[in-house]
Amino acid sequence: MERIDILAKITDLEYRLENDELTDQERMEIDKEITRLGTQLNLNKDDKKALKILNKRVWMTYSDIEILQDLGVGKLKIMSHIGIAQDHSTDIDLSNAKSFYKTFYIKNKRLENYHKRFGRVFNPELYD
């Protein structure tokens, strides 16, 4: 269901609540349906945001990873989009930015060279 359709359905249900004579049971059912549709709206928005961040691939920052974790995206999915193999993804520390970048570049020298080639600077002395 598209966003516009969901909003139209919510508007119709709210109109029914205000203008129709309903029993308490019917009001409860309409309230539940409005809540369900509202949740669906937020999920669609969160999914689009997560997909937009995941599409950054190796250009994701630690802040992007924190947002993805808050949206409920799993560590393995995040690591696979960054380019870390599944067997190495458990070695990456996501507890803070310093630990993330340090373990990230230790496990993936290929990405360090990739970033240098495209102008992203990595200074390992910052992470000692």
Side-chain angles (χ1 to χ4, degrees), residues 106-127:
I106 288 171
K107 286 296 171 189
N108 205 335
K109 292 293 183 184
R110 180 181 58 85
L111 285 179
E112 181 180 350
N113 294 331
Y114 176 86
H115 285 215
K116 283 180 184 176
R117 194 172 71 211
F118 289 102
R120 193 171 194 180
V121 178
F122 172 71
N123 186 356
E125 290 81 33
L126 295 175
Y127 302 103

Side-chain angles (χ1 to χ4, degrees), residues 12-31:
D12 291 342
L13 291 172
E14 288 175 342
Y15 181 82
R16 274 191 68 199
L17 277 176
E18 292 175 8
N19 298 319
D20 292 352
E21 291 184 24
L22 303 168
T23 64
D24 289 340
Q25 181 65 29
E26 290 172 329
R27 286 185 182 281
M28 285 176 45
E29 289 175 14
I30 290 174
D31 282 338

